[in-house]
Amino acid sequence: MRPLSPLERISGMLPQDTLSPEVMQLREQDQQDFEDGTNTQKTAAEEDPDHKTVPKKDDTKTHHEIDAVEEPNIPEIQSFSEHQMVSQSLPGENFLVFGEFLVAEYRRQGQVEFRKMFRLQTGMRLNSQWGLIMHDDIAGQPAGCFLKTNIGVSLLIRRASLEDYVLFMKRMPAIVYPKDAVTMFMMMDVMEGDCVLESGSGSGAMSLFLSRAVGSKGRVLSLDIREDHHKRAVWNYNHWRTAWSLRRGEEWPDNVQFVHADLSTASSLLVGQGFHSVALDLPSPHLVLHTMTPHLHPGAVCAVYLANITQVTDLLEGLRCLQLPLLCESIIEVPIRNWLVAPALRKDGSYCIRQAPILAEAQRQEDETSENTDTEETAAEEQPAFGSVPYIARPHPEQKSHSAFLVKLRKYVK
């Protein structure tokens, strides 16, 4: 069955004797086009013994929603054949296996219209407004492949990075966004083998970033005053470690110790410990400075993540009153501006071509070569040479708003 066109839907509800000859002719033409397309598909399937058809399942979407779906513009690979790209794997490459976290994406005209993270499981299916794909059909495929849904839309299936995971994982409080986490790492100068103190485990985003940064030789002590936040952070951390071991065939370092405790009253927990850096994500960080500062190495940095400027002033006022050996070096926020960059197109969809300035000698020869000009322009439009297509660049209309202020405190020796 094929979806009915608007003409067929309307004309089907009217008596046959009321339809004009033009409408009847259009209906017959549509039916003939459909039969020709069906015969072509059957012939292709008979000629190709390796041709596989995807069984169609019942879909609850209306026909006009299906008609609106457009195929993404997937560039053809000319340097390698399809057989080479699929059958030959690179050293260290692993195919997708059950238990991994994956991301499905659909792009149209260069824009991401659908993105979803999911865990690959036996017998499950990936559902979206663009159709569904069985998880069993995804397992064993190479990462970064395009697979068609049951309605014929191609989705990009790739592995979830740690950035994807912390953005899509189940959370309770707001997370430290990757752009801010990277800047905090630069402030703290975190490296492999460091011992880091974190207060405010939250959903576990910063704990995961710190775990990867310090490596198997390092250690992270993460505290949270709320039990539900503590449990969520542990749950997210363990699920990522399990998926990673399936993906890479090796264990993610078990180097984070989660503790349900209040840092302001946890002096006994920190006895005998020293930290190369400290990360604080608390509503009132000035209340824990007196507990944290004695265990921070001289010259080391405490990076503080604060949501609003009022918290920043409270922190500075706490530093002034407590007279702790902490120097406020910087207070920043990290904006990100997305851009749209794409080739310039004409209204008919063809590429625009850069026009070179016409020299005097070339202008005199223009009349003699006018007949060949149209042919050359047509060939250039079909396959423009490198550097001949102009590009348009503008800021993306949807920009990320403010996330947090980052305060850098450095311990000094009095």
Side-chain angles (χ1 to χ4, degrees):
M1 293 293 293
R2 66 179 179 89
L4 298 177
S5 65
L7 174 64
E8 290 174 318
R9 297 195 197 107
I10 297 175
S11 61
M13 295 184 293
L14 299 176
Q16 295 291 330
D17 54 356
T18 62
L19 300 178
S20 63
E22 291 81 2
V23 174
M24 295 297 297
Q25 183 178 359
L26 288 173
R27 289 185 59 181
E28 294 175 358
Q29 183 177 357
D30 290 344
Q31 182 64 25
Q32 182 64 31
D33 293 342
F34 171 70
E35 293 176 355
D36 293 342
T38 304
N39 294 335
T40 303
Q41 294 177 357
K42 291 181 178 179
T43 304
E46 293 173 357
E47 293 177 354
D48 187 1
D50 297 329
H51 179 75
K52 297 181 180 179
T53 59
V54 179
K56 293 188 176 181
K57 300 177 176 59
D58 294 337
D59 190 33
T60 57
K61 296 192 174 299
T62 58
H63 291 302
H64 70 274
E65 288 176 330
I66 298 176
D67 292 339
V69 173
E70 297 181 7
E71 286 291 327
N73 186 14
I74 305 173
E76 295 183 359
I77 301 174
Q78 299 179 355
S79 301
F80 300 93
S81 65
E82 183 179 357
H83 176 73
Q84 288 175 316
M85 294 298 293
V86 175
S87 62
Q88 295 182 0
S89 60
L90 298 174
E93 179 184 359
N94 296 322
F95 295 103
L96 303 179
V97 297
F98 291 110
E100 287 193 77
F101 284 105
L102 307 179
V103 174
E105 289 182 352
Y106 173 73
R107 294 175 179 266
R108 180 164 56 183
Q109 298 179 354
Q111 302 297 313
V112 177
E113 297 202 358
F114 169 76
R115 179 177 288 151
K116 180 180 181 180
M117 187 182 76
F118 63 99
R119 194 164 193 174
L120 196 60
Q121 296 176 317
T122 307
M124 301 297 289
R125 62 185 184 181
L126 170 64
N127 293 305
S128 71
Q129 59 180 327
W130 311 113
L132 60 89
I133 301 177
M134 300 302 297
H135 285 204
D136 294 342
D137 297 333
I138 301 176
Q141 298 288 341
C145 64
F146 282 91
L147 297 179
K148 287 186 177 293
T149 66
N150 63 321
I151 59 175
V153 180
S154 294
L155 300 182
L156 174 64
I157 307 296
R158 61 177 178 83
R159 285 190 171 98
S161 64
L162 183 56
E163 178 185 6
D164 295 320
Y165 180 73
V166 300
L167 290 175
F168 288 99
M169 68 184 183
K170 294 181 179 180
R171 64 176 76 166
M172 298 191 71
I175 64 170
V176 176
Y177 284 89
K179 68 180 183 68
D180 297 318
V182 170
T183 306
M184 293 177 70
F185 281 12
M186 297 300 294
M187 288 180 172
M188 300 159 61
D189 195 23
V190 180
M191 60 186 66
E192 186 178 4
D194 280 1
C195 184
V196 181
L197 172 64
E198 178 195 13
S199 184
S201 305
S203 298
M206 191 66 176
S207 305
L208 282 165
F209 287 127
L210 287 171
S211 175
R212 181 168 65 177
V214 302
S216 58
K217 298 179 181 180
R219 185 173 63 89
V220 178
L221 177 61
S222 182
L223 284 69
D224 202 292
I225 191 173
R226 291 184 51 168
E227 185 177 3
D228 54 347
H229 292 181
H230 165 74
K231 291 181 178 179
R232 173 55 61 189
V234 173
W235 191 90
N236 286 332
Y237 177 75
N238 290 332
H239 273 66
W240 172 257
R241 292 187 65 243
T242 302
W244 175 267
S245 62
L246 294 172
R247 167 182 173 178
R248 299 295 293 265
E250 59 186 34
E251 291 292 330
W252 179 277
D254 187 10
N255 53 8
V256 180
Q257 179 186 0
F258 292 96
V259 180
H260 175 217
D262 184 1
L263 181 57
S264 62
T265 59
S267 299
S268 59
L269 182 64
L270 305 181
V271 172
Q273 300 192 58
F275 300 98
H276 296 90
S277 57
V278 176
L280 300 180
D281 181 10
L282 302 170
S284 302
H286 59 281
L287 300 179
V288 303
L289 294 180
H290 68 282
T291 307
M292 171 274 299
T293 305
H295 300 276
L296 181 63
H297 291 181
V301 170
C302 170
V304 189
Y305 183 92
L306 297 171
N308 57 66
I309 197 65
T310 305
Q311 293 173 314
V312 176
T313 58
D314 289 344
L315 175 61
L316 297 180
E317 186 66 6
L319 287 174
R320 184 186 66 82
C321 296
L322 294 173
Q323 297 184 351
L324 295 171
L326 294 172
L327 176 65
C328 181
E329 291 190 349
S330 62
I331 303 171
I332 64 172
E333 63 174 335
V334 184
I336 286 185
R337 196 177 203 188
N338 294 325
W339 280 74
L340 294 176
V341 182
L345 301 177
R346 297 191 178 98
K347 291 184 177 180
D348 60 358
S350 61
Y351 289 107
C352 294
I353 305 299
R354 283 197 178 106
Q355 299 295 331
I358 302 177
L359 302 178
E361 182 179 356
Q363 192 169 5
R364 288 195 300 267
Q365 299 176 356
E366 182 178 359
D367 295 336
E368 299 177 1
T369 59
S370 58
E371 295 182 359
N372 299 330
T373 302
D374 295 337
T375 305
E376 293 176 356
E377 290 180 354
T378 303
E381 290 177 2
E382 294 177 354
Q383 192 173 3
F386 177 80
S388 63
V389 178
Y391 276 68
I392 296 176
R394 65 180 184 274
H396 196 284
E398 298 179 0
Q399 298 293 337
K400 296 181 180 179
S401 59
H402 165 80
S403 56
F405 294 100
L406 306 181
V407 182
K408 181 180 181 181
L409 305 177
R410 187 182 299 275
K411 182 179 178 179
Y412 63 91
V413 180
K414 291 184 178 181

